Amino acid sequence: MSQIHALSDDQVGQELRKMTAFIKQEANEKAHEISIKADEEFAIEKSKLVRQEMDAIDSTYAKKFKQAQMSQQIARSTVSNKTRLRVLGARQALLDDIFEAAQQRLGDAAKDKKRYQAVLTGLILEGFYALNEPELQVRARKADYEIVKKAIEEAEKDYKDKTGKDIQGTLDEENPVVEGSAGGVVIIGTGGKIDIDNTFEARLGLLREGALPAMREALFGKNPNRKFFD
């Protein structure tokens, strides 16, 4: 039989110290592993948070930049529209002034009686051609009755010469052109159902409608935004 020898106190102490040193080493290694893992996890989490914050900053910057662009575009558009409206307003005011000046000078055409009679003849003849009826009425200012009668006679002769047909124009003295008119005549046909307003005011209105585009182009140049033309 083998004999079992009891350990001495020194041997027990040595064994305990070995075991204690081993346990400490294991604990230190484990603690080191835990520390490394914790550092790695911290670094990962930190990187994740940094990326999230950077993405948030980028998103906020992009949003603010887009808003700034939109605000700038709106501001430019507003300024452009206001400028355009001012320009259009100034142009329209100039055109209004031109026609207002023409309106004020309409009466000058009736001062030269010989020339005025020729104008009246042309206006009456125009109505004769347009209505093409054998009998027509002519309305005029009371002050123009005598000169209009002469103009009617001349228009009747011109109409006969040009068309070979007779026509009779009668001055409607019961219904004169409204007071304040600068001159001209109104030709009535079809029993009073159709009239051609050839007063100076009406002709100026037609001129304003018809000549306005040409006047705009002459005064301000062609509109680069206009795509279609008459």
Side-chain angles (χ1 to χ4, degrees), residues 40-54:
E40 290 176 350
E41 291 178 352
F42 173 76
I44 292 171
E45 189 65 23
K46 179 181 177 182
S47 177
K48 182 179 178 181
L49 291 172
V50 169
R51 282 198 305 271
Q52 289 177 346
E53 289 299 320
M54 290 297 294

Side-chain angles (χ1 to χ4, degrees), residues 185-225:
V185 292
V186 178
I187 301 91
I188 312 294
T190 318
K193 295 180 180 178
I194 299 177
D195 67 80
I196 296 178
D197 190 346
N198 271 350
T199 59
F200 287 172
E201 290 80 8
R203 295 306 295 254
L204 181 61
L206 291 174
L207 176 64
R208 181 167 189 160
E209 292 179 5
L212 202 55
M215 290 183 65
R216 283 198 181 100
E217 183 174 327
L219 290 171
F220 312 117
K222 292 184 177 181
N223 185 351
N225 298 318

